[in-house]
Amino acid sequence: MLATGGAATLVGCSTGGETESSTAESEAEAAGSTDGSMSVVVSSKGYTEQLNLGYIAYELLANNTGVSLVDETGFGGNAAHAEAYQVGDIHAYYDYMGSLWAAHPPKHDEADFETPDEQYEALKSEMESEHPIRILDRADWQNTWAVFIREDAIEGTGIETISDLAGYVNDGNYDIRPAFGDGFKTRSDGFDALLDYYGFEAEHVERWEAEQEFIEAASAQAAGTAVDEGYADLSFGYSTSAWLTTVEDIVYLDDDRNFWPFFHPVGVVHEDVATDAVVSALNKMPDAIPDAKTMQELNSHATEVGSQQAVVDHLTANGFI
């Protein structure tokens, strides 16, 4: 059964025979898959990837449970969600570990974790003790800032990580030309902070910038276009941005010292509706979206056909609905 958006009530169909109907109902209840009296409000934030994740939750619930669904995708940002699940105005959505850790009470200014599993366990313990929610399984991929670079710019250099790039520049190599979106150079999680964190030496950064005249473009996408068209070699973008699917012959440098926090998506479900069937359905997301490339492609497809249709196409093609 494919939901078509808006509020939808999903119920089973009677086959007409009392014994047959009772048997089917008993089997469904034993599987924990039906509760036609329970309403689940599915939400998301308002940008493309979050709308896609919201409709993944909606369609997985629509096709794997018997609950009634209310579509509140595009509900609002971090503050709106943090307030709404306290009072039960929303019930299920996917968020990012970094967002939940930094923007939801109790808010944290730092995320000093060495692995995503370490951050996930701390987040799950804290959020479930502080709020009426459960934190479900996390995906293996994340949507965070990523450094990408032209393959031909690092051919033969051995550069695979940001630490490698720091060593390369500190050895007096200034041939790689960076580009970044407006404001990214000086923001707290931006270019200058990254250079300082990774130990790029000031005298070499100064000479690097003098030789290359770093490009500050109007946006991250414009900076990516500069790399794609050969005006720059290195830039920054969100790792699952749809426009990155159009940038060819690039590789990503590993953030090997975890400058950026982990932004793996996780399921969030209100404890009032956290039945086995609901949890099981929502926990299919990490398998449905196994990597960042898949999310990129889904984001790109959504710009063409809309989020819900893109999600239905993807989940159907891969056997999840």
Side-chain angles (χ1 to χ4, degrees), residues 70 147 159 216 304:
V70 179
V147 180
I159 294 174
E216 186 160 10
E304 300 170 354

Side-chain angles (χ1 to χ4, degrees), residues 191-267:
F191 185 67
D192 289 346
L194 179 75
L195 298 184
D196 181 64
Y197 182 85
Y198 270 96
F200 287 76
E201 296 171 6
E203 62 178 289
H204 290 290
V205 172
E206 186 176 341
R207 291 180 61 184
W208 185 23
E209 184 169 10
E211 288 197 17
Q212 290 299 331
E213 297 181 0
F214 297 168
I215 297 173
E216 186 160 10
S219 65
Q221 184 168 347
T225 300
V227 172
D228 190 35
E229 295 181 353
Y231 299 109
D233 303 304
L234 175 150
S235 192
F236 307 82
Y238 285 115
S239 54
T240 57
S241 295
W243 60 268
L244 282 174
T245 62
T246 67
V247 181
E248 298 181 352
D249 300 321
I250 64 168
V251 294
Y252 294 90
L253 298 186
D254 181 24
D255 179 14
D256 54 302
R257 291 181 51 203
N258 301 325
F259 173 69
W260 289 294
F262 299 108
F263 275 80
H264 297 256
V266 295

Side-chain angles (χ1 to χ4, degrees), residues 88 102 119 123 155 159 214 219 223 275 288:
Q119 182 170 330
L123 173 71
E155 186 174 357
I159 294 174
F214 297 168
S219 65
T275 64

